[in-house]
Amino acid sequence: MKNNEIRPEKFHFQKLRLRLRKIRMKCLCSGEQMRLRDDDDKRSELGRDDYNVSSTLSAAESENAKKLENGNIEEAELSLRETSSLNYEEARALLGRIEYQKGNIEAALRVFEGIDINGITVKMKTALTVREERKHRRRSKGGFVTAPPPSMSKHAVSLLFEAIFLKAKSLQRLGRFQEAAQSCRVILDIVEASLAEGASENVTGDIKLQETLTKAVELLPELWKLADSPRDAILSYRRALLNHWKLDPETTARIQKEYAVFLLYSGEEAVPPNLRSQTEGSFIPRNNVEEAILLLMLLLRKVNQKRILWDAAILDHLSFALTIAGDLTALAKQFEELSPEILDQRELYHTLSLCYQGAGEGLVALGLLRKLFSEREDPNRISGLLMASKICGERAGLAEEGVDYARRAIGNLGSECSQLDGAARLVLGITLTESSRTAITETERIARQSEGVQALESADMTNPRVVHRLAVESAEQRKLDSALAYAKRALKLGSESDLEVWLLLARVLSAQKRFSGAETIVDAALNETGKWEQGKLLRLKAKLRLAKGEVKDAIKTYTQLLALLQVQSKSFNSAKKLPKGYVEGLRSLELGTWHDLAHIYINLSQWRDAETCISRSRLIAPYSSVRYHTEGVLYKRQGQLDEAMEAFTTALDIDPMHVPSLISKAEILLELGNRSSISVVRSFLMEALRIDRLNHSAWYNLGKMFKAEGSVSSMREAVDCFQAAVTLEETMPVEPFR
């Protein structure tokens, strides 16, 4: 091609490259304000013909020019068309972007640092707040004239915003995170001030400007986190989510998710947000967890509305947050609201069963697991069977079903996983020993109990739960030396619940009538246990003192326990929601304490104090079988047998398996001496022994019943019953082993 045939677009490209070259040299060497094209440059460049342009370009320079992205050239051309010339800041913005895209981060930063951000901030705000569609006029002598245009175009603002953003990115890559955050914040400050003056259309109408703004909003909190400034990061996250930046849904979702993750795992406790325009009655999060839960629930709602794509991590983080918040029922509700295409039905049943089991709704969880087992293919089959077996093992009436689940789990498991095998044998041992309590015959009971102990012994003996369970079984079989050894071993292994091991150890010692040693164990446990967990220990200590005959000290300890429970109740009323099981445990402990005190005052014949204790328990649980039984004991000691019988009957109406009430009704019938009621007495006592075969009081009253019959065979039966009662009383703990 001849020189005079050079295409116009190629000539324009060469002319533009020369122009940028001059700008680059001046920007790198001088910090003075300059114009890219003064009048002399214009004349000289316009007078240069095609031959001069071609001779100026060397082969190496042409190759470097080709490396410039087409977008950069087009951007430069657009700027030139709008303003006819580039000012100093715009030129630096263009050159800095070129250096950044080449990977010359330090060179790019030197170019960006030459831009006087403070000096052009007002111009950028003015350019953003001017409304183009409305002509601003002012009156003059000759009439109306159009107001002068802004000194900076929206395109120039977009170019400078990008420069500020790239400066922040350059500082980030160089490890200067705080400076990067401060640079990035400038963009948000300018836009926020402009939006306050009604510049929404000017900001959101420019695609390039909106893109840069979106990136800056998302980058700022990340920079503050890198700068180890968590409070600034939290403020930036809230600023990003509460201001009207016109972010796209996916970007907003990313920010919400990252903020929730930061709240949950950063360890920095955020100050509750101060929302100026808060609707009355609206929810305001009080701490990190509540704020994170709110964000994650909003994300789940967006997923259900198909505004954003499904992200399994959202559900994982929400599960963690609601678990530590102690509200697994709310977590179950979130799972139930998920669209069917998001979560497989079998996975849903399994997860819901975990939620309800953790929330203390074991029977609901079991119902879901039963539905799960009806499916032919179930990826969670083994874990589901083990959970179902565990739930059944906690309920005597379902123990048989639990044995079946545990055996099915072991059969499906094979030798794949030793840990799951140990867990399966543990739940099998628990369900077998529980089912032995409801066995019809003594032979069947002994067989199940023996098999259960063997299953426990074949489990992982380094697991403190296994050793603790063996200690409980040994204690209930009155193998106190073995129980003591197992309890000490469980404590040494570091049980999952050291409190329960301490309690079992003291109870075993009390069964050996070593009350002082048991109290020493309780004192040691009190030193090792948190304040809110000391209630059971204090109650056991009071009972140990009572067993030693130290009645005043026992009453003093009970008083200390009641004071602790009162403070605990007030503290928890203002705290976050507590697990259902924990609240019920505290309520049961307070109820038992009042009944213990009532029995002490009954034995001391202090009727008014006993009645006060009973009335206090009535406020806690109006329909309690234990309270009605205590009332019956009070009436009986006062000689009011009819009232006592009525109270015991009411207790059994509430709980037909309440052993003390069964025994107390039998005692009154025996005292009345009516031989026609012997069969009724027998039925009460046999039912009590079916439920609790180691109850010495039931054996003793059964002996009295046989003695009252007067026959030779019945007298032999009476002797056996009295011997059993004496043996059991000698090894009876001050409170049940579990």
Side-chain angles (χ1 to χ4, degrees), residues 44-59:
S44 63
E45 287 179 6
L46 292 173
R48 187 176 293 124
D49 58 13
D50 295 348
Y51 299 97
N52 292 334
V53 171
S54 299
S55 61
T56 305
L57 293 172
S58 64

Side-chain angles (χ1 to χ4, degrees), residues 141-260:
K141 294 181 179 179
F144 290 94
V145 297
T146 303
S151 59
M152 185 179 295
S153 68
K154 285 197 298 181
H155 176 71
V157 174
S158 176
L159 185 66
L160 291 169
F161 268 12
E162 184 186 33
I164 298 171
F165 177 76
L166 292 178
K167 178 183 177 182
K169 293 289 290 183
S170 301
L171 289 166
Q172 179 189 10
R173 293 180 63 176
L174 294 173
R176 296 159 62 179
F177 303 121
Q178 188 167 358
E179 296 176 57
Q182 292 169 349
S183 177
C184 188
R185 187 171 60 186
V186 170
I187 299 175
L188 274 64
D189 291 341
I190 293 173
V191 173
E192 194 172 45
S194 302
L195 290 175
E197 297 181 18
S200 176
E201 295 180 2
N202 283 354
V203 175
T204 59
D206 190 295
I207 298 176
K208 185 65 178 177
L209 194 151
Q210 181 64 41
E211 180 184 346
T212 304
L213 174 63
T214 299
K215 291 178 180 178
V217 170
E218 194 170 2
L219 177 64
L220 183 57
E222 298 298 323
L223 293 174
W224 283 124
K225 288 193 291 186
L226 291 171
D228 194 22
S229 183
R231 291 196 175 276
D232 286 315
I234 289 170
L235 293 175
S236 298
Y237 274 124
R238 289 175 177 168
R239 185 182 189 184
L241 296 174
L242 295 176
N243 285 13
H244 301 288
W245 306 113
K246 301 293 184 182
L247 305 178
D248 61 275
E250 291 295 335
T251 301
T252 304
R254 281 197 305 273
I255 295 173
Q256 287 176 323
K257 177 185 169 185
E258 291 300 322
Y259 184 30

Side-chain angles (χ1 to χ4, degrees), residues 69-347:
E69 295 182 0
N70 291 332
N72 298 337
I73 298 300
E74 292 170 1
E75 193 77 16
E77 287 178 333
L78 181 60
S79 179
L80 288 171
R81 288 171 185 168
E82 286 188 356
T83 62
S84 302
S85 63
L86 291 175
N87 63 23
Y88 179 73
E89 286 77 15
E90 295 168 29
R92 279 188 169 269
L94 279 171
L95 289 173
R97 182 174 67 186
I98 293 171
E99 293 295 340
Y100 183 86
Q101 291 172 342
K102 287 181 177 181
N104 302 329
I105 304 302
E106 293 184 359
L109 184 59
R110 286 198 297 271
V111 175
F112 289 136
E113 286 178 340
I115 300 175
D116 182 14
I117 301 298
N118 294 330
I120 61 174
T121 297
V122 176
K123 293 180 181 180
M124 286 193 285
K125 289 181 181 178
T126 303
L128 289 176
T129 52
V130 168
R131 298 184 180 181
E132 294 182 355
E133 71 277 6
R134 183 177 296 177
K135 299 295 184 180
H136 297 279
R137 297 183 176 185
R138 59 183 176 84
R139 183 182 296 274
S140 65
K141 294 181 179 179
F144 290 94
V145 297
T146 303
S151 59
M152 185 179 295
S153 68
K154 285 197 298 181
H155 176 71
V157 174
S158 176
L159 185 66
L160 291 169
F161 268 12
E162 184 186 33
I164 298 171
F165 177 76
L166 292 178
K167 178 183 177 182
K169 293 289 290 183
S170 301
L171 289 166
Q172 179 189 10
R173 293 180 63 176
L174 294 173
R176 296 159 62 179
F177 303 121
Q178 188 167 358
E179 296 176 57
Q182 292 169 349
S183 177
C184 188
R185 187 171 60 186
V186 170
I187 299 175
L188 274 64
D189 291 341
I190 293 173
V191 173
E192 194 172 45
S194 302
L195 290 175
E197 297 181 18
S200 176
E201 295 180 2
N202 283 354
V203 175
T204 59
D206 190 295
I207 298 176
K208 185 65 178 177
L209 194 151
Q210 181 64 41
E211 180 184 346
T212 304
L213 174 63
T214 299
K215 291 178 180 178
V217 170
E218 194 170 2
L219 177 64
L220 183 57
E222 298 298 323
L223 293 174
W224 283 124
K225 288 193 291 186
L226 291 171
D228 194 22
S229 183
R231 291 196 175 276
D232 286 315
I234 289 170
L235 293 175
S236 298
Y237 274 124
R238 289 175 177 168
R239 185 182 189 184
L241 296 174
L242 295 176
N243 285 13
H244 301 288
W245 306 113
K246 301 293 184 182
L247 305 178
D248 61 275
E250 291 295 335
T251 301
T252 304
R254 281 197 305 273
I255 295 173
Q256 287 176 323
K257 177 185 169 185
E258 291 300 322
Y259 184 30
V261 169
F262 184 73
L263 288 170
L264 288 176
Y265 311 114
S266 68
E268 178 71 21
E269 188 64 31
V271 177
N274 182 17
L275 305 181
R276 288 169 292 181
S277 58
Q278 182 67 33
T279 306
E280 185 177 354
S282 299
F283 173 75
I284 301 178
R286 295 172 295 179
N287 50 51
N288 282 24
V289 176
E290 288 188 358
E291 192 169 357
I293 290 171
L294 178 62
L295 290 166
L296 294 168
M297 284 184 172
L298 289 173
L299 287 172
L300 272 188
R301 181 179 297 176
K302 291 179 182 179
V303 170
N304 282 329
Q305 295 172 350
K306 297 183 179 180
R307 294 165 58 192
I308 61 174
L309 297 175
W310 164 244
D311 184 357
I314 296 173
L315 208 52
D316 293 338
H317 295 308
L318 181 60
S319 300
F320 172 76
L322 286 172
T323 300
I324 62 176
D327 198 352
L328 292 176
T329 305
L331 178 59
K333 184 178 180 182
Q334 293 300 313
F335 275 102
E336 290 168 351
E337 291 177 354
L338 288 178
S339 300
E341 62 269 16
I342 293 177
L343 203 62
D344 180 76
Q345 195 74 3
R346 292 166 300 180
E347 187 69 28

Side-chain angles (χ1 to χ4, degrees), residues 418-419 421-423 425-426 452-472 474 482-483 485-495:
S418 58
Q419 290 183 341
D421 181 72
R425 295 185 183 279
L426 171 60
V453 171
Q454 288 177 5
L456 290 170
E457 290 175 343
S458 65
D460 183 9
M461 292 298 290
T462 62
N463 184 346
R465 290 181 60 197
V466 175
V467 181
H468 177 247
R469 184 71 190 194
L470 282 169
V472 172
S474 298
S482 297
Y486 280 130
K488 289 179 179 179
R489 184 175 177 182
L491 194 62
K492 187 176 181 180
L493 287 172
S495 175

Side-chain angles (χ1 to χ4, degrees), residues 502 519-529 537:
W502 285 111
E519 189 174 350
T520 301
I521 292 295
V522 171
D523 289 334
L526 287 170
N527 293 330
E528 297 290 332
T529 309
L537 291 167

